[in-house]
Amino acid sequence: MKNLLTLLCVILPFIVFAQEKNTGDTEYKYHLQGSHSFNIGVGFPNKINNGFTIADQLGIDLNGGASPIYTVKYEYGLTPEIGIGAHLGYFTAKTPSFSEGTVTTIVDQLGGIVGDLGLCGLLFECDTITEMRDGGYDKYTVVTPGVRLAYHKRVLENFDTYGSVVLGYNVIRSNRSGSDALDLTDYTNQIPTIAYFTSAGVRYYFSPQWAAYGEVGYGTMTVFNVGLTYRL
């Protein structure tokens, strides 16, 4: 995220102060039929993050979490109101780390009752078995290809306002660090297979080619999305 924000901070001043075509025509500030738009952005907060930072079990360090969702989107102006295209999202996540430790079990002929009563070594002989509990965590890389549909309507002067729907499929790749015996399926299940996002957005064109946009919405991905648009 830091790299993307740095890039935006570097590029944005050049966009703002770039020379525009001094024709007095503001039509370029809106959605255009036949146009090709390429968008890069970042979505936050990542909605699976809460499930990865729950620390309600012993031996869990508070270092799990998920990155923001980075997106690349393409849109074609099918009609003066409708835009269709493709969506590609990317993020990483990490489960909390289970610390290493030992588990001691007292074994006796009465199924542990003697040990529970503290009678080992007094009236009964007991065996003590110490087992090592390995630590570990899972790291996930999630790529989300999908499709996008947008409806543009001129609500604000000189702003491209629109509503959009994204439907995608999460391709999840996991990598275990530590013990293979750990059962972390509860965390894996926090990442849905189907991803969707419905939003209302606004885009402001600084020039016929460059714009900044922001979106707010609901779905399995994020709540807010911001980024830059380049249009052909």
Side-chain angles (χ1 to χ4, degrees):
M1 182 177 181
K2 290 182 179 179
N3 293 335
L4 182 60
L5 292 178
T6 300
L7 179 63
L8 293 177
C9 291
V10 172
I11 293 177
L12 193 57
F14 289 97
I15 298 174
V16 174
F17 296 105
Q19 290 185 348
E20 300 183 8
K21 295 181 179 179
N22 189 21
T23 63
D25 182 15
T26 60
E27 190 68 17
Y28 72 86
K29 292 182 176 290
Y30 305 99
H31 171 74
L32 299 177
Q33 182 177 2
S35 62
H36 302 270
S37 300
F38 302 88
N39 309 272
I40 59 170
V42 58
F44 58 93
N46 190 328
K47 296 187 73 172
I48 75 162
N49 194 61
N50 290 338
F52 274 70
T53 55
I54 295 174
D56 56 357
Q57 303 179 54
L58 296 177
I60 298 180
D61 297 328
L62 292 177
N63 59 354
S67 73
I69 299 179
Y70 303 100
T71 59
V72 177
K73 294 176 284 189
Y74 164 76
E75 182 178 332
Y76 172 70
L78 185 64
T79 73
E81 294 83 24
I82 302 297
I84 59 173
H87 167 97
L88 184 65
Y90 169 84
F91 71 90
T92 60
K94 176 183 173 297
T95 68
S97 298
F98 283 74
S99 303
E100 293 185 355
T102 58
V103 177
T104 301
T105 304
I106 298 176
V107 180
D108 59 69
Q109 296 180 348
L110 297 179
I113 297 177
V114 172
D116 293 339
L117 295 176
L119 298 178
C120 288
L122 298 177
L123 302 175
F124 301 92
E125 293 184 2
C126 301
D127 294 325
T128 301
I129 300 176
T130 301
E131 298 177 322
M132 192 71 181
R133 184 184 67 180
D134 294 330
Y137 57 87
D138 277 352
K139 293 186 69 174
Y140 301 93
T141 300
V142 183
V143 177
T144 311
V147 293
R148 183 174 180 272
L149 176 66
Y151 175 73
H152 297 258
K153 185 174 179 61
R154 299 186 181 187
V155 177
L156 301 175
E157 185 176 0
N158 294 330
F159 285 90
D160 176 21
T161 51
Y162 59 91
S164 66
V165 177
V166 173
L167 181 64
Y169 180 84
N170 284 328
V171 180
I172 306 168
R173 182 177 180 181
S174 63
N175 182 33
R176 171 61 57 86
S177 177
S179 173
D180 291 333
L182 290 174
D183 183 7
L184 300 179
T185 54
D186 286 344
Y187 293 97
T188 306
N189 293 336
Q190 296 290 332
I191 306 176
T193 302
I194 302 298
Y196 66 91
F197 184 65
T198 60
S199 68
V202 59
R203 182 179 287 115
Y204 180 74
Y205 280 93
F206 300 105
S207 74
Q209 289 78 39
W210 288 100
Y213 72 87
E215 299 174 347
V216 58
Y218 172 82
T220 61
M221 301 178 182
T222 60
V223 178
F224 303 100
N225 288 281
V226 296
L228 292 174
T229 298
Y230 178 74
R231 182 174 63 187
L232 296 176

